Amino acid sequence: MIVEKQVELSDVFMAHRLQLRWAALKILGNPERAEDVVQDAYLKVCEAAAVFDIKQPLAYLFQMVRNLAIDHHRRAALEMNLFENEDEGLHVPSLMGTPEAIVISRQHLTLIAKAISELPERTRRAFELHRLEGQTHRVIAAELDISTSLVNILIHQALDHCRAAFQSA
Amino acid sequence: MQREDIVWQTAVEWVIRGHESLSPADMKELIDWLKEDPANQAAYEEASRLWLLTGLVPPSVPPSDN
């Protein structure tokens, strides 16, 4: 069954490769980096397919590519600014790995999914709306009928719990 | 809050804010904070890594149609 799922998800990936690259390109604004992200996503998709039962493959692939592209963009912006500060003696190369260098293990994926599933319902919902659907604090606050500052607290608590889960593993 | 907690919470806040593009002033603030202490860098890397992982988990409730 696991093998079947893997084949299926990578088939969906290949069938929508151009759209996925376009989604990455919109965030990164650079075709080469968009291609890097799509290739990285493919490797991570194969790992994820072995661990998760993915009910909406295409939505999941777009979620993954979007998040990897945002992550890549964030790191690239930080690195660029760090290089500009290099003459001030900051040790740039050691600071941040590129997303491609970050190997995602099945064990870690399992651990993080379990940690998220353990969150109180409202915390989990706020976190997923933010992290997986890319909603702003304001939209989440309206949907859950809470303040934006509470949204931020819940997102913090979610990540705190994930950290604790990793530390005790 | 203990110092270690403050460092962690600050790192998480930067990672959450980094979700949107940072302004040049925010970026400078982040870099200044990272340069301040290796513990800040370590916390930022840990938070970044967890953040990346959480983005790879499928939603427990399927997202509504676009």
Side-chain angles (χ1 to χ4, degrees), chain B residues 18-35:
Chain B
H19 194 66
E20 316 296 335
S21 289
L22 293 177
S23 70
D26 286 341
M27 183 57 84
K28 187 178 182 315
E29 198 187 327
L30 170 58
I31 286 172
D32 287 345
W33 181 75
L34 289 170
K35 285 197 289 190

Side-chain angles (χ1 to χ4, degrees), chain A residues 13 20-21 23-24 27 37-38 41 60-70:
Chain A
F13 190 102
L20 292 166
R21 195 173 63 178
I27 293 165
V37 164
V38 168
Y60 175 70
L61 293 176
F62 275 104
Q63 169 205 313
M64 183 184 255
V65 166
R66 190 176 63 234
N67 281 334
L68 288 174
I70 290 168

Side-chain angles (χ1 to χ4, degrees), chain B residues 34-46:
Chain B
L34 289 170
K35 285 197 289 190
E36 220 174 82
D37 189 338
N40 295 355
Q41 287 185 24
Y44 186 80
E45 282 181 56
E46 187 186 359

Side-chain angles (χ1 to χ4, degrees), chain A residues 52 56 60 63 67-68 74 81 88 90 95 102-103 108 112 124 128 130-132 152 155-156 160 163, chain B residues 8-9 12-13 18 27 31 35 41 44-46 48-49 51-52 54-60 62:
Chain A
F52 301 126
Q56 297 192 317
Y60 175 70
Q63 169 205 313
N67 281 334
L68 288 174
R74 181 170 62 78
N81 281 275
E88 295 173 34
L90 189 65
L95 183 58
I102 296 175
V103 176
H108 284 170
I112 204 94
R124 187 184 54 72
E128 288 190 350
H130 179 65
R131 189 68 186 111
L132 307 185
N152 199 46
I155 294 168
H156 269 267
D160 289 352
R163 186 196 196 202
Chain B
W8 170 250
Q9 295 305 335
V12 171
E13 190 59 33
M27 183 57 84
I31 286 172
K35 285 197 289 190
Q41 287 185 24
Y44 186 80
E45 282 181 56
E46 187 186 359
S48 291
R49 190 182 158 73
W51 192 250
L52 178 67
T54 61
L56 306 180
V57 176
S60 54

Side-chain angles (χ1 to χ4, degrees), chain A residues 26-107:
Chain A
K26 274 196 292 183
I27 293 165
L28 293 162
N30 174 314
E32 276 178 34
R33 283 166 54 202
E35 183 58 32
D36 285 347
V37 164
V38 168
Q39 287 185 15
D40 183 42
Y42 186 77
L43 297 176
K44 289 180 168 69
V45 159
C46 293
E47 291 302 299
V51 174
F52 301 126
D53 177 21
I54 295 155
K55 298 200 171 64
Q56 297 192 317
L58 191 56
Y60 175 70
L61 293 176
F62 275 104
Q63 169 205 313
M64 183 184 255
V65 166
R66 190 176 63 234
N67 281 334
L68 288 174
I70 290 168
D71 197 73
H72 197 288
H73 192 58
R74 181 170 62 78
R75 284 165 195 270
L78 180 59
E79 269 170 31
M80 201 181 72
N81 281 275
L82 283 170
F83 275 114
E84 286 170 6
N85 281 272
E86 205 171 17
D87 52 337
E88 295 173 34
L90 189 65
H91 300 295
V92 177
S94 65
L95 183 58
M96 299 294 285
T98 62
E100 289 79 9
I102 296 175
V103 176
I104 299 301
S105 74
R106 294 177 188 189
Q107 185 203 356

Side-chain angles (χ1 to χ4, degrees), chain A residues 115-116 118-130 140 144 146 150-161:
Chain A
I116 291 172
E118 289 164 355
L119 295 170
E121 173 63 23
R122 188 175 65 169
T123 310
R124 187 184 54 72
R125 190 73 192 123
F127 188 69
E128 288 190 350
L129 283 168
H130 179 65
I140 300 166
L144 299 180
I146 56 180
L150 182 54
V151 170
N152 199 46
I153 289 169
L154 295 178
I155 294 168
H156 269 267
Q157 286 175 349
L159 214 60
D160 289 352
H161 181 70

